[in-house]
Amino acid sequence: GRAFAFPRLTERPRPPRASRRSRARQDKARADASSYVFRENNGNRGCAMTCLAPHATSLMAPRVAQPRGVRARAVVSRASSRTVTRAMASTGASLSLGAGRVGAPPRHAAVVAPLRGRRVVPRAASRRAAQPQVRSAGAAKPDPSASAGSKEPGSRSSDGRWSSVVTALADVMAPAVVESLLDEELPAHADIHRGRLSNGLRYVVLPNKVPGDRFEAHLEMHVGSVDEREDEQGLAHLVEHVTFLGSKKRDAWLGSGTRGNAYTDFHHTVFHVHSPTHNKDSTYMIPNVLDILYDVAFNPQLLDTRVAKEKKAVLAEAQMMNTIEYRVDCQLLQHLHWDNNLGCRFPIGKLDQVVTWDAAKVRQFHERWYFPANATLYVVGDFHADVPGVVEMIENAFGAASAATHPEGFVNEVPRSPDSVKAFEGVVGGAGAPSLPNNTPDTPNELRDRHAVRPPVKHAFGCPPSAASAIRENAERASLAHLVDPFQPMVATESGVQLFQHEHLSHVSFNIFSKLPVLPLRHMGDLHRTVNQRIALLVLQSRIQSRYAELDHEHYKRCELDHSDSAREGCTVSTVTVTCEPLHWKYALQVAVEEARRLKQHGLTLGELTRFKSAMMRDSEQLAQQAGFVPSLENLDFVMEHDALGHVVMDQVQGHEALLRLDDVICLEGVNEVARELLGFFAEYGKDATERDPVGGLTTAIVACVPSTTTDNDGVEVPFSIFEQDVIAVLSADYGEIDPIEDVFVPDELLSETDLDELVKARTPTIVSSTVDEKTGVHQRVLSNGIRVNYRVTNNEPGSAFLRLVVPGGRTAESATAGPGGIGAAAVGFRTLQEVGAVGPWSRKQVELITMQNLVMFEVEPEAEYLFLDAAFAVKGGLRTTLEIIHLLTSQPVWDANALERVKDIYRMFELNTQRNLELLTHDAVNHAVFGDRRLMDPNRSELSALTIDGVKDAVTHQLRAGPLEVNIAGDVDPTELDLLIVRYLGTATPGGATHPENDTNPLELLPLTLRNVDPGDAATRQQRVYLRDSDERACAVLAGPGPKMWAPMFNPTLPEISSVKPKDVDGNGTVAQTMAEQLGYHPLDQVNQQAHVAGNPFAAQSARRANPLATFVAGMLLTEVIGGRLFTTVRDALGLTYDCNFQLAFGLQNADSTTYRLVVTSTPAKIDDALNAALRVLRGFKQQRVTQREVERARMTLLTRHETELKTNAYWVDLMQYTALGDTLAPAKEVSCISDLPAMYEASTVEDLYEVYQALGLGDGEVFTCVTVAGKEDPALAKPAVAAALPAESDAGMRAAAAAAASLGMAMTGGMAIAEALKKMGGGGPAAAAAADSGIDVK
């Protein structure tokens, strides 16, 4: 339901943001691209939280789900949180954080295609060191790996690992005290219960109360693409498809509030279910969900028909995912992991092999890998049962799975204990000692177990000299003993530069990697080291971005730093990624090198250490406050990842307490030592070994991703190329003496109390209106300067809050023509304020640092009808800082022509990228056909050139002055304190220089946004075909048409006066009718949803429901879910024409009539027309094959579950409150009551309501717009005579034929499958269709 709260124009390609997919998000996006994502997980996820400073997120435990700003760009990761599907974001020049907005349209990777190709996801590995043994009920023996992630011995002070810290603190702290603290083991999470069944299946159980009455169950099979043989590439992924979709039990339960999904990665396959503890029928769901997972993994129906279907799905999926971003990711992985199968065994596999496999091949793979001892079950949530009870349910569900044993004479493919002795303690997957030869037969009938090393690969590490020597010595000992260890690591040599050039790239990106062993996080010293690493990287990233903004005034560039453990890859990777315009790549790369050298040589300033350490402590404190409020999904993924890496799993409070104890030993010398170690691979690239810092590592891979062409200063496309020696020269050049950096003064406040007192005295701000809605708890205030404030106190995210500033106007207030303040002025101008980064008298750097200190993150975005600024912040310190920035941004904004040019540059690059991106190009063609208004699209190159700094300044200032501004706040705030703060900080603001915005300026002139008036017979406009040159074949089609307005009144028949009701109408007289009305509570002739009436729903009666302003929106959301289900079962599942087909209603406009729907389908060039035609038939088929009650119930449950889940986030409450104070200017129909009415409206909606919306969809021959874009080496129109594919005509005969064919099959019309079978019989409108039409059969 996010669209209700915060709608977006889903059909409009998004302009670039100063943001990029977070490490976790890009990883998950790629994983989803290589796996089957169940259709009920169909909400697109956008991303973007641009902040003015990096955010020092905590390392020890998952946090409350943050809708934005959950992960810093400079990342030191000990484990990844749950990632969001299909999250993609554009890039910009500011430091940023990535996150997802539920319900937002896809944020296509707009400016820069190359993204780091590593997904941080869990791996499971046996931990052989001594651990507390856990004996589960029913287990045959103690599980030696049951405490994975618990305390394990690691490196001690005797290893010398803490020597630099001890030395640095020698003057203030006794060495023995420091060593004792750092040697101390980290505390393990006390509520995590691990065990193992007698058949070998491992389980992890964690009670968690958020969200209440729901739980997560994930079954991890320890098999992935790296386990495939040479002729099985892609088989792990196909088996996942077949097992998941081949389960009848899954079909029986998923949909009634229960959602399922599955994915395959290098090292594992995961099946997961999110479910209510009791479903709507009061059925206790944990046993049923466990039974589903058992059925999926150990009792699947591996039918020939299902295998054939899923082979088609995999082939279609491969086409869909083969974007330029995916190809770049593959290049990065290929060169990063040149030393093992991670560089070539991608989960999607080899399609020429996929087409040859039969069901027998699938069964063989399943039998080899799908056995209990190769699985781990994670169950986390609100169980309504104790842990022993949950364990008993696990035993009942999975105990029947037969334990797998090795046949007699079986030869083990991998050693069972490759890490029994390590070259240096504490390393996971590191220098394994010589082990048993890999040709030793196992004991007959021995219980089969999972591989001890996950993933089972061998790495070449860029270790410092001391670790490299240990690896070499270990290899020599193994060689002398004639022992073979397939996982014995190698020592890498310094890498050269690998170039990947493609015509679909628009930016240059340099990806510099150093691959290292994973160091488990088990002791206080390990945590200390990790904190130091994070501080060093955050400081470096801040310095680089500041120099980019200060020294190069108009060109796009950014640098991202990362140091992450990857269970997926079994290693740690340090990464520097520099992305920039092609013509200025040398300068961008040089700045990054210089700043890395500066930090390595001179270290941090004392002020930097103080600020960044303080920020980390505040963030950790906020995280501890959220203990008990973290969603089960976040906790589960956190535990899974930590267990796989061998890290201790701490809860939030334990993590914060550990960090507090380290406060005194986090010192300047220690951080600088870590910086030397961390940055050596990049700062000293190309140096002779004798000149290198002995603590630094080596670069193990460099991949430069380069476009084939670029545009010059005149906008002319010219050839472009980079050579390896040029990159090496920039990385290794001598840039002379590098001076230390000067510290920056950072104020404690942006508005002093003295200044505020003077403003209050001069302007006498007050609250002129104050109300509280009892049903929702929403407070509404109107300040004396006209600013409206809505806020709600929540305990969803303790210590945190979320704010949104809404400025009415947006693109609708722009001129409809190009000029200095013309098309694009408001959008580009508002982004320019963000790019400037300065407010009032404070510089960008100062604002960045104070927001970092107070954990404040900002995003700005121009929309069609408003501009908005979002802020996520810690209440302590952050609330005041956020209000200060809003005050200064609206009252004293800073404008800079150079920042405007940088923003223009990003827009130009996005325009270029649109022409090189299959999906964006298709959407763009439809946009130009559908919309009659350039303001619904991003400004083009000529419109951007016409904009001036004075023009964009006037455009934004006019909107600020015109008002009324709306501020929405949700979070852990105190109402009394907040009222005082908003009066002082917001009440004294002068938006755009106006003391009373609504009175001090002329009203905005809003030009309505319109759809283009296209002749129904204009086939050239309505049916477009586009060719995109590409090395690989792909195809995308978009279908669009007019749709209903979000707040459009729904048809509501007038009911007669009760006294005039005739006896035959109610089987009585008027008196009886009056009595019935009083007893029933509604008019006797009203149409009533009886189920809703029994539940006491106030909208059970049609007249009451359709009179509610939410009627059209609610019915539209339900219809969207139903259409999505039918598209899946028909176009994807039954016909096998596509992997991805989705439908959306663009409920994104409040007052304009340019609302549309949009259907997007991807496929192969050979099938794209058939897929588009089949999808259109599904849409039109709703006339004959009516929506069933079961479909409505499934859609209702999905939307209500989503709504209830998101109510736990502050950002969603802000979404819900948005516009409720702007009824006089922006959204007249949206009132606070809409928030409380939404669930009841979902519950009460009927099939007839859905058809009121359906009838408003323009689906006729003269109403739809389509564009089919085919990518490949050759234009199909040149290869053969062009034949325009005719869309299926909307005729009664055709629709009757579809319905008749379905009826003749004897199928109950309960979903899209009947349509699919009908289409098969029709042959796409061929003879079968004609015969059916001529038969005269009619189905009602």
Side-chain angles (χ1 to χ4, degrees):
R2 176 60 63 102
F4 153 66
F6 190 49
R8 314 303 292 256
L9 291 177
T10 56
E11 69 273 21
R12 182 164 64 89
R14 310 303 303 170
R17 297 172 179 271
S19 175
R20 191 184 211 189
R21 280 190 297 178
S22 70
R23 172 59 169 263
R25 292 180 186 284
Q26 61 183 263
D27 292 336
K28 177 62 176 173
R30 201 178 67 257
D32 282 337
S34 61
S35 65
Y36 170 60
V37 179
F38 192 54
R39 70 169 178 85
E40 288 180 328
N41 196 18
N42 65 357
N44 287 325
R45 301 293 189 263
C47 98
M49 165 54 76
T50 299
C51 69
L52 301 178
H55 183 41
T57 51
S58 181
L59 308 171
M60 288 74 68
R63 63 179 56 247
V64 169
Q66 298 285 346
R68 303 168 183 83
V70 295
R71 199 168 178 82
R73 294 300 86 214
V75 180
V76 182
S77 174
R78 283 301 183 183
S80 165
S81 295
R82 173 77 176 171
T83 53
V84 182
T85 60
R86 297 187 297 277
M88 306 175 76
S90 326
T91 58
S94 298
L95 293 178
S96 61
L97 295 128
R101 172 176 295 128
V102 179
R107 304 288 179 167
H108 299 286
V111 178
V112 58
L115 297 170
R116 287 188 301 273
R118 303 196 299 118
R119 169 163 135 75
V120 184
V121 291
R123 75 177 172 95
S126 296
R127 308 300 174 195
R128 300 289 178 174
Q131 301 175 0
Q133 294 187 337
V134 177
R135 183 185 295 274
S136 66
K141 57 184 179 181
D143 178 14
S145 64
S147 296
S150 299
K151 300 186 289 284
E152 287 189 44
S155 296
R156 313 290 294 184
S157 58
S158 58
D159 302 321
R161 286 187 64 196
W162 321 135
S163 57
S164 61
V165 183
V166 172
T167 302
L169 297 171
D171 294 336
V172 295
M173 191 176 295
V177 175
V178 178
E179 291 178 352
S180 176
L181 173 62
L182 299 183
D183 277 341
E184 189 176 323
E185 293 183 347
L186 293 171
H189 198 309
D191 294 332
I192 297 177
H193 301 263
R194 297 180 175 88
R196 190 174 188 183
L197 302 183
S198 58
N199 58 13
L201 183 134
R202 296 167 175 83
Y203 61 80
V204 178
V205 179
L206 174 61
N208 196 67
K209 294 294 184 180
V210 178
D213 304 319
R214 302 194 71 85
F215 70 95
E216 298 283 339
H218 294 209
L219 183 64
E220 179 186 25
M221 301 303 305
H222 302 289
V223 55
S225 58
V226 293
D227 298 296
E228 297 163 346
R229 295 168 178 168
E230 190 64 31
D231 62 343
E232 295 177 338
Q233 296 185 54
L235 192 52
H237 177 218
L238 178 62
V239 171
E240 171 231 305
H241 273 243
V242 176
T243 54
F244 189 65
L245 285 174
S247 169
K248 295 295 183 183
K249 291 182 179 179
R250 180 194 64 85
D251 290 339
W253 289 108
L254 295 184
S256 58
T258 302
R259 302 193 305 273
N261 205 334
Y263 61 89
T264 300
D265 208 330
F266 287 125
H267 65 307
H268 67 183
T269 300
V270 178
F271 304 97
H272 51 97
V273 177
H274 173 80
S275 174
T277 310
H278 289 88
N279 71 0
K280 61 179 181 177
D281 299 321
S282 299
T283 302
Y284 187 59
M285 288 298 296
I286 294 182
N288 295 313
V289 167
L290 296 178
D291 200 30
I292 290 171
L293 292 175
Y294 166 80
D295 193 59
V296 166
F298 303 122
N299 190 37
Q301 293 182 320
L302 305 177
L303 303 177
D304 292 3
T305 53
R306 175 53 66 183
V307 171
K309 283 184 178 181
E310 296 315 310
K311 285 167 59 177
K312 292 181 181 178
V314 169
L315 297 175
E317 180 183 1
Q319 292 285 332
M320 176 200 71
M321 66 183 286
N322 192 29
T323 63
I324 187 61
E325 292 85 4
Y326 176 77
R327 289 179 233 178
V328 167
D329 284 344
C330 290
Q331 288 290 322
L332 300 186
L333 282 167
Q334 175 185 335
H335 297 298
L336 173 61
H337 296 298
W338 56 267
D339 46 351
N340 57 57
N341 277 344
L342 292 169
C344 59
R345 287 283 201 277
F346 303 123
I348 196 64
K350 292 187 176 179
L351 303 188
D352 58 343
Q353 292 188 19
V354 174
V355 297
T356 66
W357 297 329
D358 55 15
K361 190 79 168 178
V362 170
R363 296 185 192 106
Q364 290 171 3
F365 190 89
H366 182 272
E367 182 180 359
R368 191 185 336 143
W369 293 106
Y370 280 65
F371 55 92
N374 201 39
T376 302
L377 174 70
Y378 296 83
V379 187
V380 179
D382 188 7
F383 304 138
H384 295 188
D386 57 15
V387 171
V390 175
V391 171
E392 184 178 356
M393 296 177 215
I394 293 172
E395 292 173 338
N396 292 338
F398 291 92
S402 300
T405 58
H406 292 304
E408 186 173 355
F410 174 80
V411 176
N412 199 9
E413 296 181 359
V414 296
R416 285 169 293 177
S417 182
D419 57 349
S420 55
V421 179
K422 291 182 171 62
F424 44 96
E425 286 289 328
V427 176
V428 174
S435 60
L436 293 174
N438 63 354
N439 59 351
T440 302
D442 283 292
T443 304
N445 299 320
E446 181 184 357
L447 185 70
R448 288 163 61 190
D449 207 343
R450 66 186 181 191
H451 284 174
V453 173
R454 303 293 305 162
V457 295
K458 181 176 184 176
H459 289 290
F461 292 131
C463 298
S466 59
S469 297
I471 291 175
R472 293 189 182 98
E473 291 171 5
N474 200 54
E476 291 175 3
R477 289 199 303 270
S479 177
L480 293 173
H482 303 290
L483 298 177
V484 177
D485 182 359
F487 308 111
Q488 171 66 41
M490 303 174 287
V491 177
T493 57
E494 189 160 67
S495 172
V497 178
Q498 303 295 328
L499 296 175
F500 173 63
Q501 189 165 32
H502 200 281
E503 57 192 329
H504 286 185
L505 296 176
S506 56
H507 274 64
V508 172
S509 73
F510 300 96
N511 306 270
I512 301 103
F513 300 107
S514 180
K515 188 158 58 169
L516 303 165
V518 174
L519 297 175
L521 187 68
R522 298 173 184 169
H523 295 87
M524 293 288 284
D526 300 319
L527 180 60
H528 178 267
R529 174 191 175 89
T530 302
V531 171
N532 288 345
Q533 289 173 334
R534 179 176 293 281
I535 292 173
L537 288 186
L538 288 171
V539 168
L540 178 57
Q541 171 129 351
S542 177
R543 289 185 180 185
I544 293 172
Q545 290 301 144
S546 293
R547 275 199 68 190
Y548 282 162
E550 293 167 1
L551 301 181
D552 190 11
H553 66 279
E554 61 180 10
H555 299 122
Y556 164 81
K557 64 195 71 65
R558 70 171 291 105
C559 179
E560 293 181 331
L561 309 173
D562 183 83
H563 181 80
S564 298
D565 301 339
S566 173
R568 168 189 209 227
E569 296 157 80
C571 60
T572 296
V573 180
S574 296
T575 309
V576 177
T577 301
V578 175
T579 307
C580 58
E581 278 190 296
L583 297 180
H584 305 92
W585 69 268
K586 289 185 178 180
Y587 172 77
L589 193 56
Q590 176 183 333
V591 167
V593 172
E594 287 179 345
E595 290 307 315
R597 291 178 183 176
R598 191 190 316 276
L599 182 60
K600 187 176 184 301
Q601 292 175 21
H602 302 291
L604 284 71
T605 67
L606 184 58
E608 286 175 326
L609 175 64
T610 301
R611 288 190 294 270
F612 281 90
K613 185 170 75 166
S614 174
M616 294 197 70
M617 292 299 177
R618 287 192 180 189
D619 190 50
S620 177
E621 178 184 8
Q622 180 185 5
L623 193 60
Q625 291 176 321
Q626 295 175 356
F629 292 86
V630 178
S632 297
L633 184 58
E634 300 293 326
N635 274 321
L636 188 151
D637 284 336
F638 190 83
V639 173
M640 184 186 291
E641 176 78 357
H642 270 59
D643 280 4
L645 290 165
H647 298 333
V648 170
V649 179
M650 295 183 286
D651 63 31
Q652 292 86 350
V653 175
Q654 290 172 322
H656 179 57
E657 291 173 349
L659 195 58
L660 287 176
R661 296 185 59 206
L662 290 173
D663 190 17
D664 292 338
V665 296
I666 299 174
C667 60
L668 199 60
E669 293 81 357
V671 177
N672 290 340
E673 177 76 11
V674 167
R676 288 174 52 211
E677 177 184 304
L678 196 61
L679 302 177
F681 79 99
F682 179 57
E684 296 189 320
Y685 180 82
K687 273 191 174 183
D688 187 85
T690 59
E691 301 176 356
R692 284 181 176 271
D693 190 327
V695 302
L698 294 176
T699 296
T700 56
I702 302 175
V703 185
C705 300
V706 182
S708 302
T709 61
T710 189
T711 53
D712 60 18
N713 294 330
D714 298 322
V716 178
E717 190 167 0
V718 296
F720 180 78
S721 60
I722 288 178
F723 299 100
E724 177 183 3
Q725 58 269 30
D726 295 333
V727 179
I728 293 175
V730 174
L731 289 173
S732 58
D734 182 359
Y735 296 112
E737 186 67 26
I738 297 179
D739 297 326
I741 197 170
E742 292 186 6
D743 216 341
V744 177
F745 167 71
V746 181
D748 294 327
E749 53 196 16
L750 300 176
L751 282 171
S752 70
E753 289 296 328
T754 301
D755 292 340
L756 273 175
D757 289 340
E758 293 178 358
L759 290 174
V760 169
K761 182 178 180 180
R763 298 170 186 170
T764 61
T766 60
I767 296 176
V768 299
S769 174
S770 175
T771 61
V772 181
D773 182 72
E774 296 298 332
K775 290 185 177 180
T776 61
V778 173
H779 299 249
Q780 293 195 292
R781 308 286 187 260
V782 178
L783 304 181
S784 50
N785 61 356
I787 294 178
R788 290 96 185 270
V789 180
N790 308 315
Y791 68 84
R792 188 182 190 278
V793 179
T794 74
N795 64 350
N796 296 329
E797 303 165 33
S800 301
F802 193 88
L803 177 148
R804 175 170 300 138
L805 168 68
V806 179
V807 184
R811 303 295 305 276
T812 57
E814 295 176 352
S815 169
T817 59
I823 293 177
V828 174
F830 205 46
R831 291 185 185 280
T832 298
L833 286 179
Q834 175 192 24
E835 182 59 32
V836 171
V839 292
W842 307 109
S843 69
R844 170 179 173 144
K845 184 68 174 178
Q846 290 172 313
V847 175
E848 285 180 351
L849 292 175
I850 195 171
T851 54
M852 181 273 297
Q853 285 183 184
N854 292 296
L855 306 183
V856 181
M857 297 156 288
F858 284 100
E859 171 194 7
V860 303
E861 179 75 17
E863 286 291 343
E865 295 174 308
Y866 58 91
L867 309 173
F868 77 76
L869 176 147
D870 277 357
F873 53 90
V875 173
K876 182 180 178 181
L879 174 57
R880 172 175 174 151
T881 300
T882 301
L883 295 177
E884 287 175 334
I885 289 176
I886 291 178
H887 176 107
L888 292 172
L889 187 68
T890 57
S891 305
Q892 302 177 48
V894 177
W895 295 93
D896 179 67
N898 293 331
L900 171 63
E901 292 305 314
R902 290 197 297 271
V903 173
K904 285 184 180 181
D905 184 55
I906 296 173
Y907 271 93
R908 293 188 189 104
M909 297 308 296
F910 178 70
E911 180 183 18
L912 177 62
N913 190 70
T914 298
Q915 302 306 311
R916 299 177 176 184
N917 182 291
L918 178 71
E919 291 79 12
L920 289 181
L921 180 62
T922 312
H923 279 287
D924 192 57
V926 171
N927 288 343
H928 283 81
V930 171
F931 297 128
D933 199 319
R934 283 285 308 150
R935 295 171 300 159
L936 279 165
M937 291 168 275
D938 295 316
N940 58 32
R941 189 173 290 270
S942 61
E943 292 162 348
L944 289 168
S945 298
L947 295 175
T948 65
I949 188 65
D950 289 335
V952 301
K953 175 182 177 181
D954 290 344
V956 175
T957 301
H958 191 195
Q959 294 192 30
L960 291 172
R961 287 179 62 87
L965 307 187
E966 181 189 65
V967 175
N968 302 278
I969 305 171
D972 188 10
V973 296
D974 176 77
T976 302
E977 179 188 9
L978 185 57
D979 281 342
L980 293 174
L981 290 174
I982 62 176
V983 169
R984 284 178 66 79
Y985 290 95
L986 301 183
T988 56
T990 55
T995 306
H996 298 86
E998 296 173 84
N999 301 323
D1000 294 354
T1001 188
N1002 295 324
L1004 287 173
E1005 182 181 356
L1006 302 179
L1007 302 177
L1009 301 168
T1010 60
L1011 297 180
R1012 185 177 175 187
N1013 186 13
V1014 180
D1015 186 275
D1018 185 355
T1021 302
R1022 290 189 174 274
Q1023 297 182 30
Q1024 300 182 70
R1025 298 191 74 83
V1026 178
Y1027 165 68
L1028 177 66
R1029 189 174 67 243
D1030 193 355
S1031 56
D1032 297 353
E1033 288 191 351
R1034 301 177 65 227
C1036 175
V1038 172
L1039 180 147
K1045 291 178 61 175
M1046 177 177 179
W1047 301 106
M1050 185 173 286
F1051 173 70
N1052 202 358
T1054 302
L1055 298 172
E1057 292 291 336
I1058 292 179
S1059 60
S1060 66
V1061 175
K1062 297 179 181 180
K1064 64 179 181 179
D1065 295 326
V1066 295
D1067 195 21
N1069 53 38
T1071 303
V1072 175
Q1074 179 68 42
T1075 303
M1076 291 179 63
E1078 294 174 354
Q1079 293 176 345
L1080 300 177
Y1082 52 81
H1083 196 288
L1085 296 184
D1086 210 345
Q1087 301 296 315
V1088 178
N1089 181 332
Q1090 290 298 331
Q1091 183 177 354
H1093 172 66
V1094 171
N1097 192 308
F1099 304 111
Q1102 177 178 280
S1103 59
R1105 186 170 62 254
R1106 294 191 176 183
N1108 190 291
L1110 290 173
T1112 296
F1113 168 78
V1114 167
M1117 295 297 290
L1118 290 166
L1119 178 64
T1120 298
E1121 290 291 326
V1122 173
I1123 290 174
R1126 289 196 181 184
L1127 289 171
F1128 173 84
T1129 56
T1130 304
V1131 187
R1132 190 275 190 198
D1133 199 43
L1135 299 180
L1137 295 172
T1138 182
Y1139 178 79
D1140 182 46
C1141 184
N1142 64 78
F1143 173 89
Q1144 286 186 337
L1145 269 172
F1147 280 144
L1149 297 172
Q1150 304 299 306
N1151 294 314
D1153 294 324
S1154 51
T1155 303
T1156 64
Y1157 68 85
R1158 187 155 297 207
L1159 183 148
V1160 184
V1161 60
T1162 58
S1163 188
T1164 64
K1167 293 182 178 180
I1168 189 64
D1169 291 303
D1170 291 339
L1172 177 61
N1173 292 344
L1176 183 55
R1177 286 194 180 95
V1178 170
L1179 291 181
R1180 290 175 171 174
F1182 277 74
K1183 294 181 179 179
Q1184 277 68 36
Q1185 190 179 19
R1186 287 183 63 81
V1187 174
T1188 66
Q1189 188 61 35
R1190 182 173 182 268
E1191 288 177 304
V1192 175
E1193 291 297 333
R1194 288 173 66 96
R1196 190 188 339 266
M1197 186 60 66
T1198 298
L1199 293 172
L1200 283 172
T1201 300
R1202 187 182 305 162
H1203 174 69
E1204 292 167 4
T1205 300
E1206 294 201 359
L1207 282 175
K1208 302 297 183 183
T1209 65
N1210 292 328
Y1212 187 58
W1213 271 104
V1214 165
D1215 287 345
L1216 293 171
M1217 293 186 292
Q1218 181 176 313
Y1219 315 143
T1220 55
L1222 296 176
D1224 52 342
T1225 58
L1226 186 56
K1230 186 174 180 182
E1231 300 176 349
V1232 175
S1233 60
C1234 291
I1235 301 173
S1236 55
D1237 290 348
L1238 183 60
M1241 285 291 291
Y1242 275 133
E1243 291 282 9
S1245 292
T1246 64
V1247 170
E1248 289 71 23
D1249 295 337
L1250 270 64
Y1251 272 94
E1252 289 295 324
V1253 174
Y1254 177 77
Q1255 291 167 8
L1257 301 180
L1259 295 170
D1261 293 337
E1263 297 176 289
V1264 299
F1265 294 82
T1266 64
C1267 179
V1268 176
T1269 304
V1270 174
K1273 295 180 180 179
E1274 187 175 18
D1275 187 345
L1278 300 177
K1280 59 182 179 181
V1283 179
L1287 292 172
E1290 185 189 28
S1291 65
D1292 290 339
M1295 292 299 102
R1296 285 199 304 270
S1304 68
L1305 293 171
M1307 288 187 170
M1309 291 188 178
T1310 57
M1313 191 62 72
I1315 298 178
E1317 298 300 334
L1319 289 172
K1320 287 182 179 179
K1321 283 209 164 188
M1322 290 170 63
D1334 292 340
S1335 67
I1337 299 175
D1338 196 4
V1339 178
K1340 298 181 180 179

